mmCIF file of all heavy atoms in Angstrom:
data_model
loop_
_atom_site.group_PDB
_atom_site.id
_atom_site.type_symbol
_atom_site.label_atom_id
_atom_site.label_comp_id
_atom_site.label_asym_id
_atom_site.label_seq_id
_atom_site.Cartn_x
_atom_site.Cartn_y
_atom_site.Cartn_z
ATOM 1 N N VAL H 1 2.965 14.199 -18.248
ATOM 2 C CA VAL H 1 2.614 13.931 -19.643
ATOM 3 C C VAL H 1 1.539 12.846 -19.661
ATOM 4 O O VAL H 1 1.740 11.754 -19.114
ATOM 5 C CB VAL H 1 3.830 13.453 -20.469
ATOM 6 C CG1 VAL H 1 3.408 13.178 -21.911
ATOM 7 C CG2 VAL H 1 4.950 14.491 -20.435
ATOM 8 N N ASP H 2 0.386 13.162 -20.246
ATOM 9 C CA ASP H 2 -0.710 12.207 -20.405
ATOM 10 C C ASP H 2 -0.656 11.600 -21.801
ATOM 11 O O ASP H 2 -0.267 12.271 -22.769
ATOM 12 C CB ASP H 2 -2.067 12.896 -20.219
ATOM 13 C CG ASP H 2 -2.377 13.200 -18.762
ATOM 14 O OD1 ASP H 2 -1.618 12.750 -17.892
ATOM 15 O OD2 ASP H 2 -3.390 13.882 -18.506
ATOM 16 N N GLY H 3 -1.067 10.323 -21.899
ATOM 17 C CA GLY H 3 -1.108 9.659 -23.184
ATOM 18 C C GLY H 3 -2.437 8.958 -23.410
ATOM 19 O O GLY H 3 -3.039 8.440 -22.470
ATOM 20 N N TRP H 4 -2.888 8.946 -24.660
ATOM 21 C CA TRP H 4 -4.131 8.277 -25.034
ATOM 22 C C TRP H 4 -3.884 7.455 -26.298
ATOM 23 O O TRP H 4 -3.136 7.863 -27.180
ATOM 24 C CB TRP H 4 -5.240 9.297 -25.291
ATOM 25 C CG TRP H 4 -5.703 10.003 -24.053
ATOM 26 C CD1 TRP H 4 -5.160 11.131 -23.498
ATOM 27 C CD2 TRP H 4 -6.790 9.635 -23.212
ATOM 28 N NE1 TRP H 4 -5.841 11.480 -22.363
ATOM 29 C CE2 TRP H 4 -6.864 10.575 -22.165
ATOM 30 C CE3 TRP H 4 -7.720 8.602 -23.258
ATOM 31 C CZ2 TRP H 4 -7.821 10.512 -21.167
ATOM 32 C CZ3 TRP H 4 -8.681 8.534 -22.258
ATOM 33 C CH2 TRP H 4 -8.727 9.480 -21.228
ATOM 34 N N ARG H 5 -4.521 6.270 -26.347
ATOM 35 C CA ARG H 5 -4.362 5.404 -27.512
ATOM 36 C C ARG H 5 -5.689 4.713 -27.821
ATOM 37 O O ARG H 5 -6.330 4.133 -26.937
ATOM 38 C CB ARG H 5 -3.298 4.340 -27.224
ATOM 39 C CG ARG H 5 -3.236 3.203 -28.252
ATOM 40 C CD ARG H 5 -2.738 3.663 -29.618
ATOM 41 N NE ARG H 5 -2.890 2.624 -30.629
ATOM 42 C CZ ARG H 5 -2.047 1.624 -30.834
ATOM 43 N NH1 ARG H 5 -0.953 1.521 -30.085
ATOM 44 N NH2 ARG H 5 -2.279 0.756 -31.790
ATOM 45 N N PHE H 6 -6.090 4.789 -29.088
ATOM 46 C CA PHE H 6 -7.282 4.091 -29.548
ATOM 47 C C PHE H 6 -6.825 2.794 -30.220
ATOM 48 O O PHE H 6 -5.994 2.809 -31.127
ATOM 49 C CB PHE H 6 -8.059 4.952 -30.543
ATOM 50 C CG PHE H 6 -9.380 4.362 -30.948
ATOM 51 C CD1 PHE H 6 -10.459 4.383 -30.083
ATOM 52 C CD2 PHE H 6 -9.547 3.780 -32.203
ATOM 53 C CE1 PHE H 6 -11.683 3.838 -30.443
ATOM 54 C CE2 PHE H 6 -10.761 3.238 -32.585
ATOM 55 C CZ PHE H 6 -11.827 3.271 -31.693
ATOM 56 N N ALA H 7 -7.345 1.665 -29.758
ATOM 57 C CA ALA H 7 -6.885 0.374 -30.281
ATOM 58 C C ALA H 7 -7.893 -0.705 -29.977
ATOM 59 O O ALA H 7 -8.879 -0.509 -29.257
ATOM 60 C CB ALA H 7 -5.519 0.025 -29.697
ATOM 61 N N VAL H 8 -7.614 -1.886 -30.509
ATOM 62 C CA VAL H 8 -8.396 -3.082 -30.244
ATOM 63 C C VAL H 8 -7.623 -3.954 -29.264
ATOM 64 O O VAL H 8 -6.462 -4.297 -29.522
ATOM 65 C CB VAL H 8 -8.673 -3.867 -31.541
ATOM 66 C CG1 VAL H 8 -9.385 -5.184 -31.228
ATOM 67 C CG2 VAL H 8 -9.521 -3.041 -32.494
ATOM 68 N N SER H 9 -8.250 -4.286 -28.165
ATOM 69 C CA SER H 9 -7.615 -5.203 -27.209
ATOM 70 C C SER H 9 -7.905 -6.629 -27.668
ATOM 71 O O SER H 9 -9.035 -6.960 -28.024
ATOM 72 C CB SER H 9 -8.173 -4.986 -25.804
ATOM 73 O OG SER H 9 -9.538 -5.353 -25.751
ATOM 74 N N ASP H 10 -6.875 -7.454 -27.675
ATOM 75 C CA ASP H 10 -7.103 -8.827 -28.132
ATOM 76 C C ASP H 10 -7.270 -9.762 -26.940
ATOM 77 O O ASP H 10 -7.165 -9.364 -25.775
ATOM 78 C CB ASP H 10 -5.980 -9.307 -29.049
ATOM 79 C CG ASP H 10 -4.620 -9.240 -28.362
ATOM 80 O OD1 ASP H 10 -4.566 -9.254 -27.120
ATOM 81 O OD2 ASP H 10 -3.610 -9.166 -29.076
ATOM 82 N N ALA H 11 -7.524 -11.009 -27.220
ATOM 83 C CA ALA H 11 -7.794 -11.986 -26.159
ATOM 84 C C ALA H 11 -6.575 -12.249 -25.295
ATOM 85 O O ALA H 11 -6.698 -12.728 -24.170
ATOM 86 C CB ALA H 11 -8.271 -13.297 -26.781
ATOM 87 N N ASN H 12 -5.385 -11.912 -25.795
ATOM 88 C CA ASN H 12 -4.170 -12.150 -25.028
ATOM 89 C C ASN H 12 -3.830 -10.998 -24.088
ATOM 90 O O ASN H 12 -2.831 -11.050 -23.386
ATOM 91 C CB ASN H 12 -2.988 -12.382 -25.978
ATOM 92 C CG ASN H 12 -3.191 -13.616 -26.833
ATOM 93 O OD1 ASN H 12 -3.726 -14.620 -26.357
ATOM 94 N ND2 ASN H 12 -2.780 -13.549 -28.092
ATOM 95 N N GLY H 13 -4.654 -9.960 -24.119
ATOM 96 C CA GLY H 13 -4.421 -8.827 -23.223
ATOM 97 C C GLY H 13 -3.219 -7.984 -23.606
ATOM 98 O O GLY H 13 -2.556 -7.390 -22.754
ATOM 99 N N THR H 14 -2.900 -7.920 -24.899
ATOM 100 C CA THR H 14 -1.762 -7.133 -25.364
ATOM 101 C C THR H 14 -1.975 -5.657 -25.063
ATOM 102 O O THR H 14 -3.018 -5.089 -25.368
ATOM 103 C CB THR H 14 -1.563 -7.332 -26.878
ATOM 104 O OG1 THR H 14 -1.392 -8.724 -27.149
ATOM 105 C CG2 THR H 14 -0.349 -6.571 -27.365
ATOM 106 N N SER H 15 -0.959 -5.033 -24.454
ATOM 107 C CA SER H 15 -1.046 -3.616 -24.121
ATOM 108 C C SER H 15 -0.827 -2.778 -25.375
ATOM 109 O O SER H 15 0.106 -3.029 -26.149
ATOM 110 C CB SER H 15 -0.002 -3.247 -23.065
ATOM 111 O OG SER H 15 -0.219 -3.975 -21.872
ATOM 112 N N ARG H 16 -1.683 -1.804 -25.580
ATOM 113 C CA ARG H 16 -1.571 -0.921 -26.726
ATOM 114 C C ARG H 16 -1.313 0.499 -26.233
ATOM 115 O O ARG H 16 -2.213 1.303 -26.074
ATOM 116 C CB ARG H 16 -2.838 -0.974 -27.577
ATOM 117 C CG ARG H 16 -3.118 -2.340 -28.188
ATOM 118 C CD ARG H 16 -2.070 -2.727 -29.220
ATOM 119 N NE ARG H 16 -2.372 -4.021 -29.828
ATOM 120 C CZ ARG H 16 -1.610 -4.595 -30.749
ATOM 121 N NH1 ARG H 16 -0.484 -4.013 -31.138
ATOM 122 N NH2 ARG H 16 -1.956 -5.763 -31.256
ATOM 123 N N PHE H 17 -0.027 0.790 -25.978
ATOM 124 C CA PHE H 17 0.356 2.111 -25.525
ATOM 125 C C PHE H 17 0.452 3.062 -26.720
ATOM 126 O O PHE H 17 0.508 2.611 -27.878
ATOM 127 C CB PHE H 17 1.713 2.055 -24.817
ATOM 128 C CG PHE H 17 1.735 1.170 -23.605
ATOM 129 C CD1 PHE H 17 2.508 0.025 -23.595
ATOM 130 C CD2 PHE H 17 0.971 1.471 -22.489
ATOM 131 C CE1 PHE H 17 2.537 -0.796 -22.471
ATOM 132 C CE2 PHE H 17 0.992 0.656 -21.374
ATOM 133 C CZ PHE H 17 1.778 -0.480 -21.362
ATOM 134 N N PRO H 18 0.492 4.382 -26.483
ATOM 135 C CA PRO H 18 0.810 5.294 -27.581
ATOM 136 C C PRO H 18 2.121 4.863 -28.230
ATOM 137 O O PRO H 18 3.070 4.471 -27.550
ATOM 138 C CB PRO H 18 0.929 6.652 -26.871
ATOM 139 C CG PRO H 18 0.032 6.525 -25.676
ATOM 140 C CD PRO H 18 0.179 5.104 -25.225
ATOM 141 N N ARG H 19 2.172 4.950 -29.554
ATOM 142 C CA ARG H 19 3.308 4.380 -30.285
ATOM 143 C C ARG H 19 4.533 5.279 -30.303
ATOM 144 O O ARG H 19 5.527 4.958 -30.952
ATOM 145 C CB ARG H 19 2.877 4.053 -31.709
ATOM 146 C CG ARG H 19 1.887 2.894 -31.796
ATOM 147 C CD ARG H 19 1.330 2.767 -33.194
ATOM 148 N NE ARG H 19 0.453 3.888 -33.522
ATOM 149 C CZ ARG H 19 0.026 4.164 -34.738
ATOM 150 N NH1 ARG H 19 0.400 3.414 -35.768
ATOM 151 N NH2 ARG H 19 -0.786 5.197 -34.949
ATOM 152 N N ALA H 20 4.506 6.373 -29.590
ATOM 153 C CA ALA H 20 5.677 7.245 -29.457
ATOM 154 C C ALA H 20 5.747 7.741 -28.020
ATOM 155 O O ALA H 20 4.717 7.974 -27.384
ATOM 156 C CB ALA H 20 5.588 8.426 -30.424
ATOM 157 N N VAL H 21 6.956 7.860 -27.512
ATOM 158 C CA VAL H 21 7.176 8.388 -26.164
ATOM 159 C C VAL H 21 7.826 9.762 -26.295
ATOM 160 O O VAL H 21 8.922 9.885 -26.847
ATOM 161 C CB VAL H 21 8.085 7.454 -25.340
ATOM 162 C CG1 VAL H 21 8.393 8.084 -23.985
ATOM 163 C CG2 VAL H 21 7.413 6.097 -25.147
ATOM 164 N N LEU H 22 7.145 10.785 -25.816
ATOM 165 C CA LEU H 22 7.664 12.145 -25.839
ATOM 166 C C LEU H 22 7.785 12.654 -24.407
ATOM 167 O O LEU H 22 6.836 12.538 -23.625
ATOM 168 C CB LEU H 22 6.758 13.085 -26.636
ATOM 169 C CG LEU H 22 6.927 13.082 -28.165
ATOM 170 C CD1 LEU H 22 6.307 11.823 -28.770
ATOM 171 C CD2 LEU H 22 6.287 14.318 -28.784
ATOM 172 N N SER H 23 8.915 13.200 -24.070
ATOM 173 C CA SER H 23 9.130 13.712 -22.729
ATOM 174 C C SER H 23 8.450 15.071 -22.570
ATOM 175 O O SER H 23 8.039 15.706 -23.553
ATOM 176 C CB SER H 23 10.630 13.855 -22.461
ATOM 177 O OG SER H 23 11.193 14.866 -23.303
ATOM 178 N N PHE H 24 8.385 15.524 -21.332
ATOM 179 C CA PHE H 24 7.793 16.838 -21.066
ATOM 180 C C PHE H 24 8.596 17.931 -21.761
ATOM 181 O O PHE H 24 8.021 18.893 -22.292
ATOM 182 C CB PHE H 24 7.742 17.094 -19.560
ATOM 183 C CG PHE H 24 7.209 18.455 -19.191
ATOM 184 C CD1 PHE H 24 5.862 18.713 -19.209
ATOM 185 C CD2 PHE H 24 8.087 19.474 -18.838
ATOM 186 C CE1 PHE H 24 5.369 19.979 -18.889
ATOM 187 C CE2 PHE H 24 7.611 20.733 -18.509
ATOM 188 C CZ PHE H 24 6.253 20.985 -18.529
ATOM 189 N N GLU H 25 9.912 17.799 -21.774
ATOM 190 C CA GLU H 25 10.758 18.805 -22.420
ATOM 191 C C GLU H 25 10.490 18.862 -23.910
ATOM 192 O O GLU H 25 10.485 19.942 -24.515
ATOM 193 C CB GLU H 25 12.235 18.492 -22.160
ATOM 194 C CG GLU H 25 12.700 18.733 -20.730
ATOM 195 C CD GLU H 25 12.162 17.704 -19.750
ATOM 196 O OE1 GLU H 25 11.780 16.590 -20.207
ATOM 197 O OE2 GLU H 25 12.119 17.992 -18.546
ATOM 198 N N GLN H 26 10.247 17.695 -24.526
ATOM 199 C CA GLN H 26 9.961 17.684 -25.957
ATOM 200 C C GLN H 26 8.618 18.317 -26.279
ATOM 201 O O GLN H 26 8.471 19.002 -27.299
ATOM 202 C CB GLN H 26 9.982 16.245 -26.478
ATOM 203 C CG GLN H 26 11.365 15.619 -26.522
ATOM 204 C CD GLN H 26 11.315 14.165 -26.939
ATOM 205 O OE1 GLN H 26 10.677 13.343 -26.274
ATOM 206 N NE2 GLN H 26 11.977 13.823 -28.029
ATOM 207 N N VAL H 27 7.640 18.114 -25.412
ATOM 208 C CA VAL H 27 6.282 18.604 -25.702
ATOM 209 C C VAL H 27 6.094 20.042 -25.232
ATOM 210 O O VAL H 27 5.481 20.855 -25.929
ATOM 211 C CB VAL H 27 5.227 17.684 -25.049
ATOM 212 C CG1 VAL H 27 3.828 18.184 -25.364
ATOM 213 C CG2 VAL H 27 5.394 16.254 -25.523
#
């Protein structure tokens, strides 16, 4: 399962993952 997220990285290096986790079985 590949994930992509468009976001702004801040100075603290906060990780911006996709906001939902879907398993292979779900997709």
Side-chain angles (χ1 to χ4, degrees):
V1 180
D2 285 352
W4 291 86
R5 168 68 189 277
F6 186 75
V8 174
S9 67
D10 58 23
N12 297 323
T14 303
S15 299
R16 297 294 182 181
F17 299 115
R19 291 171 291 167
V21 175
L22 278 75
S23 66
F24 177 79
E25 289 72 21
Q26 289 175 301
V27 181

